[in-house]
């Protein structure tokens, strides 16, 4: 079936109580307006609001269906809206974006709020969830199997998981246009887990730069405990690809707009006449605190101080348009605006005169023609953003400078900095460095200017927004098609299992403990079985046709404490070092005659790494020794584990008959002949060759359980009678025939068997 692309973006420009702003000042796109742009507000006694009739809604929907940008479907947020006849009063439409802009936008740009009682945040979170839910509802109204849903930006971070829950095999891509913070900042968000889990519903997640990609993977590992790498994250039984896709602009259209109008030529001539004999440094930013306008002005002041020869010869033309972020307008807008005005006044007062001001500040929207005229006449483009995802001004500046070759000074904190390698990169917090960069740009030779610009122009015209979208979709489809279903372990066929279970008379069950019957937790002592687990195991073991065993790496004391009250249950501790038969309180030591002198050398190595790895600890069992690093920093703990394993394999393992096993956030050393596979083989052989078990269910989640799967695959028992099931992602390498996602699924399967009469 052919695939249809569903492009989803939750962009909400402001609409004041008095209606949309004049279109000649701030054009509104029909595709992004939360109300019909032609709707007429009606003042009423019940407060501010915009009245929209049914005909208004239908009119907008008809326009959007036939939009030149493709078929567009609006999502109406009418919760709690006042209805009078066929008219709806839309009040406080900003509520739907309040959480995104107050909480997510600020945190993702490395800004934190003062602590509050959390009541407002709870309301915002509720609205944010409802917004995402409403988008999910609308998408599924028009979705057809095989369609691709491409979701954009921080307004809809929950949407991938909401769609995945309702349509498990849906194809979802997600792209974040703003920065993604490090785990240290992400941890400050109360709903950090919900946000990460929401995004992980996508098949592929794209970011503007590699650092944002790395931060996301690190957050998934540190906050959610998922395995992650530079290629992606393993979450809930699936591999979510994570990749870098630097966005571009429509270069051909930008060039046509910038060079295709005589009006722009006239405006260029007027600007050049106004600032005749001066070098023009141009900046254009929104009035957001993250745009670095204040840093730009202070750096320009230092430039005039350090390089007095440029006084009266260079002018900074700074255009600051009003912010679109509600958080900035409500809390910081006036403060930021006042600070900018004070800086401009002070610098002009020191270095200017009645007839000559070094800074020309325009706190307003400017027309498209004026904007392109400024970029074309500029001698230097100056962008000092302190944090952003994509900066289109830098790309548009490069296009506009195709004849003039003016250098571009670009903040290293911009998401486009990595792509524009031939721009002059600066740290906006280093005011002296920015001042020096301005002097470097103004004194650069024509040959070097041309050389740098040619490289920048080549990149911008090649890596356009069309190439970006094509690259993203191609990579998404490649990831979807390259996932080889023949390699993936299928989900356990529960019907087949129960059918075999009903027919069998001699049934053998072998269960791992951690990660199989109970979830993996940071503190091993906290992995206590729930009442449901104990009841289910007890019911299953009470059937005389069932032989139920727990084969674990846990020691005898732990298994006795939590499972010892089930007399029909057999248990093996420390990966097969000890065994306790059903209806028997005595443990048999299978390693009794083995020389245990190796433990001294291993303990010394483990103690060395424990002292140097904060949060790690040693678990001393009767036979095996285990070094745990679940509480340590996941990346550093894994690094230390690799170093420790390498050391032990080159020393202890060569001297003694032991093996070093890497588990889930642990490292264990034990005799080589001790493993779970030997116990599985022993249990099968106990039935004899004439009457082998006619049903075997073996469940485990890590590398130590592969020994059981291997041993069972080498028996002569009919393959259809053996169910080897790994717990975890279907994509992981395993000898198991089936997989289940998590311990709750394991208990569900065991309970369904125990319920059979």
């Amino acid at each position: 079936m052919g695939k249809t692309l569903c492009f989803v973006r939750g962009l909400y420009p402001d609409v004041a109580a008095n209606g949309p702003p004049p279109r000649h000042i701030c054009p509104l796109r029909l595709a992004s307006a939360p109300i019909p742009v032609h709707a007429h507000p009606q003042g009423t006694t019940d407060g501010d609001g915009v009245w929209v009739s049914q005909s208004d809604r239908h009119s907008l929907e008809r326009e959007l269906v036939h939009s030149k940008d493709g078929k567009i479907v609006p999502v109406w947020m009418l919760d709690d809206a006042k209805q009078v006849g066929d008219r709806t009063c839309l009040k406080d439409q900003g509520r739907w974006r309040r959480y995104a802009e107050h909480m997510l936008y600020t945190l993702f740009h490395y800004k934190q709020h003062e602590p509050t009682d959390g009541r407002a945040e709870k309301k915002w979170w509720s609205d944010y969830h409802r917004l995402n839910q409403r988008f999910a509802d609308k998408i599924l109204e028009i979705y057809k199997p095989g369609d691709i849903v491409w979701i954009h930006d921080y307004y809809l971070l929950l949407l991938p998981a909401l769609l995945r829950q309702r349509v498990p095999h849906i194809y979802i891509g997600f792209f974040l246009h703003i920065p993604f913070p490090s785990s240290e900042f992400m941890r400050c968000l109360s709903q950090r887990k919900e946000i990460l889990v929401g995004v992980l519903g996508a098949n592929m997640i794209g970011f503007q730069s590699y650092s944002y990609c790395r931060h996301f993977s690190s957050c998934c590992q540190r906050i959610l405990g998922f395995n992650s790498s530079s290629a992606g994250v393993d979450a809930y039984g699936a591999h979510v690809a994570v990749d870098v896709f630097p966005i571009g602009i429509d270069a051909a259209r930008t060039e046509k707009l910038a060079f295709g109008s005589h009006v722009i030529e006239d405006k260029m001539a007027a600007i050049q006449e106004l600032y005749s004999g001066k070098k023009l440094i141009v900046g254009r930013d929104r009035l957001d605190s993250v745009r670095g306008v204040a840093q730009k002005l202070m750096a320009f002041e230092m430039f005039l101080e350090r390089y007095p020869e440029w006084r009266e010869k260079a002018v900074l033309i700074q255009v600051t348009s009003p912010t679109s972020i509600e958080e900035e307008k409500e809390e910081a807008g006036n403060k930021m605006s006042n600070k900018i005005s004070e800086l401009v006044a002070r610098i002009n007062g020191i270095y200017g005169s009645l007839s000559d001001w070094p800074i020309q500040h325009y706190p307003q929207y400017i027309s498209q023609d004026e904007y392109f005229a400024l970029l074309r006449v500029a001698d230097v483009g100056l962008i000092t953003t302190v944090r952003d995802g994509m900066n289109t001004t830098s790309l548009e500046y490069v296009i506009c400078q195709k004849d003039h070759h003016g250098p571009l000074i670009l903040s290293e904190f911009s998401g486009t900095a990595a792509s524009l390698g031939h721009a002059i990169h600066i740290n906006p917090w280093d005011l002296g460095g920015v001042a020096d960069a301005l002097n470097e740009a103004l004194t650069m030779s024509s040959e070097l200017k041309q050389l740098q610009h040619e490289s920048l122009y080549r990149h911008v015209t090649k890596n356009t927004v069309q190439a970006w979208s094509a690259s993203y979709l191609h990579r998404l489809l490649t990831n979807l098609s390259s996932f080889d279903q023949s390699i993936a372990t299928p989900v356990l066929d529960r019907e087949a299992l129960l059918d075999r279970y009903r027919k069998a008379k001699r049934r053998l069950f072998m269960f791992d403990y951690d990660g199989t019957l109970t979830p993996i937790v940071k503190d091993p002592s906290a992995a206590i079985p729930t009442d449901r687990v104990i009841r289910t195991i007890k019911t299953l073991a009470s059937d005389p046709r069932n032989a139920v065993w727990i084969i674990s790496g846990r020691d005898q004391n732990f298994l006795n404490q939590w499972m010892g009250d089930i007399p029909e249950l057999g248990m093996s501790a420390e990966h097969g070092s000890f065994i306790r038969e059903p209806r028997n309180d005595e443990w048999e030591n299978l390693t009794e005659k083995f020389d245990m002198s190796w433990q001294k050398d291993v303990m010394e190595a483990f103690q060395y790494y424990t002292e140097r790895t904060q949060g790690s600890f040693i678990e001393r069992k009767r036979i095996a020794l285990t070094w745990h690093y679940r509480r340590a920093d996941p990346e550093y703990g894994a690094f230390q584990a690799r170093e420790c394993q390498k050391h032990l394999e080159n020393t202890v393992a060569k001297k003694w008959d032991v093996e070093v096993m890497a588990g889930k956030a642990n490292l264990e050393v034990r005799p080589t002949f001790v493993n779970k596979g030997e116990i599985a083989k022993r249990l099968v052989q106990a039935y004899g060759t004439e009457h082998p078990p006619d049903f075997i269910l073996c469940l485990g989640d890590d590398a130590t359980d592969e020994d059981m799967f291997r041993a069972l695959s080498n028996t002569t028992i009919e393959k259809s009678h053996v169910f080897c099931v790994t717990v975890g992602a279907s994509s992981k390498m395993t000898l198991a025939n089936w997989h289940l996602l998590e311990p709750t699924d394991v208990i569900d399967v065991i309970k369904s068997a125990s319920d059979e009469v």
Side-chain angles (χ1 to χ4, degrees), residues 195-458:
I195 293 295
L196 291 173
V197 168
V199 184
L200 287 171
N203 296 98
M204 187 174 77
I205 304 168
F207 295 93
Q208 176 72 18
S209 75
Y210 177 71
S211 61
Y212 307 153
C213 183
R214 179 167 48 84
H215 289 164
F216 177 78
S217 296
S218 176
C219 285
C220 291
Q221 185 175 25
R222 295 169 185 272
I223 296 173
L224 298 179
F226 292 151
N227 290 330
S228 66
S229 66
S230 58
V233 180
D234 292 324
Y236 304 113
H239 179 76
V240 181
V242 177
D243 218 330
V244 182
F245 299 92
I247 200 169
I249 59 173
D250 188 341
R253 182 171 180 271
T254 301
E255 191 165 324
K256 182 179 178 181
L257 291 172
F259 291 88
S261 170
H262 65 86
V263 176
I264 294 176
E265 303 289 341
D266 294 342
K267 290 186 180 295
M268 287 174 60
I271 295 171
Q272 288 167 335
E273 182 180 353
L274 184 62
Y275 299 106
S276 177
K278 295 183 183 295
K279 294 290 186 179
L280 301 184
I281 303 166
V282 171
R284 182 260 192 178
D285 307 273
R286 286 205 309 265
L287 195 60
D288 300 346
S289 56
V290 299
R291 302 300 168 184
V293 178
Q295 285 86 342
K296 183 185 299 186
L297 296 175
M298 289 187 286
F300 186 69
E301 180 182 21
M302 185 168 289
F303 165 71
L304 295 176
E305 179 184 336
R306 282 190 179 184
Y307 302 97
E309 65 271 20
W310 286 111
R311 298 174 190 175
E312 300 183 359
K313 292 183 180 179
V315 60
L316 171 63
I317 302 177
Q318 176 62 42
V319 178
T320 52
S321 55
T323 179
S324 62
I325 302 298
E326 191 175 87
E327 159 78 11
E328 299 278 350
K329 285 188 289 189
E330 290 185 0
E331 297 182 9
N334 291 332
K335 182 179 177 182
M336 178 59 63
S337 178
N338 292 339
K339 182 177 181 179
I340 299 302
S341 298
E342 289 170 5
L343 281 170
V344 170
R346 178 166 62 81
I347 296 168
N348 282 339
I350 296 173
Y351 297 103
S353 63
L354 289 176
S355 59
D356 182 77
W357 285 0
I359 299 178
Q360 298 292 328
H361 180 224
Y362 299 95
Q364 64 190 62
Y365 290 109
I366 60 174
S367 70
Q368 180 177 279
D369 292 338
E370 289 173 320
Y371 172 62
F372 283 128
L374 265 181
L375 294 188
R376 286 183 62 183
V377 301
D379 294 291
V380 178
L382 180 58
I383 297 171
T384 56
T385 178
V386 295
R387 185 73 59 179
D388 73 2
M390 175 196 66
N391 190 292
T392 56
T393 302
S394 60
L395 306 178
E396 290 161 348
Y397 176 79
V398 171
I399 294 293
C400 291
Q401 287 289 317
K402 73 170 188 175
D403 297 328
H404 192 41
H405 306 154
L408 171 64
I409 300 176
L410 181 61
S411 167
E412 64 188 44
F413 296 107
S414 168
T416 51
S419 302
L420 302 180
H422 283 82
I424 301 173
H425 290 180
I426 49 95
N427 176 359
W429 301 101
D430 177 11
L431 303 183
V434 179
D436 293 341
L438 282 169
N439 182 62
E440 177 190 347
L442 291 171
T443 57
M444 187 179 292
S445 67
S446 300
E447 293 78 11
L448 184 56
K449 284 182 186 179
Q450 182 174 352
L451 187 66
Q452 289 189 353
H453 182 267
E454 285 175 353
S455 176
L456 292 172
Y457 184 82
R458 194 161 49 246

Side-chain angles (χ1 to χ4, degrees), residues 484-498:
D484 191 345
Q485 295 296 332
S486 64
I487 296 175
T489 309
V491 177
L492 176 63
D493 186 339
R494 301 191 188 192
E495 287 300 320
L497 181 137
L498 290 176

Side-chain angles (χ1 to χ4, degrees), residues 8 132 135-137 139-140 143 149 151 158-172 201:
V8 187
N132 280 256
F135 267 82
D137 294 340
I139 289 168
L140 294 180
Y143 169 80
V149 181
I151 302 168
L158 302 180
L159 183 55
L162 292 174
L163 291 172
R164 180 76 58 200
Q165 288 165 8
R166 293 166 67 176
V167 185
H169 301 294
I170 190 171
Y171 302 145
I172 302 175

Side-chain angles (χ1 to χ4, degrees), residues 587-599:
W587 286 87
E588 180 185 355
N589 185 352
L590 302 181
T591 62
E592 197 169 15
K593 298 179 182 178
F594 187 71
D595 185 357
M596 305 300 291
S597 303
W598 56 271
Q599 288 189 337

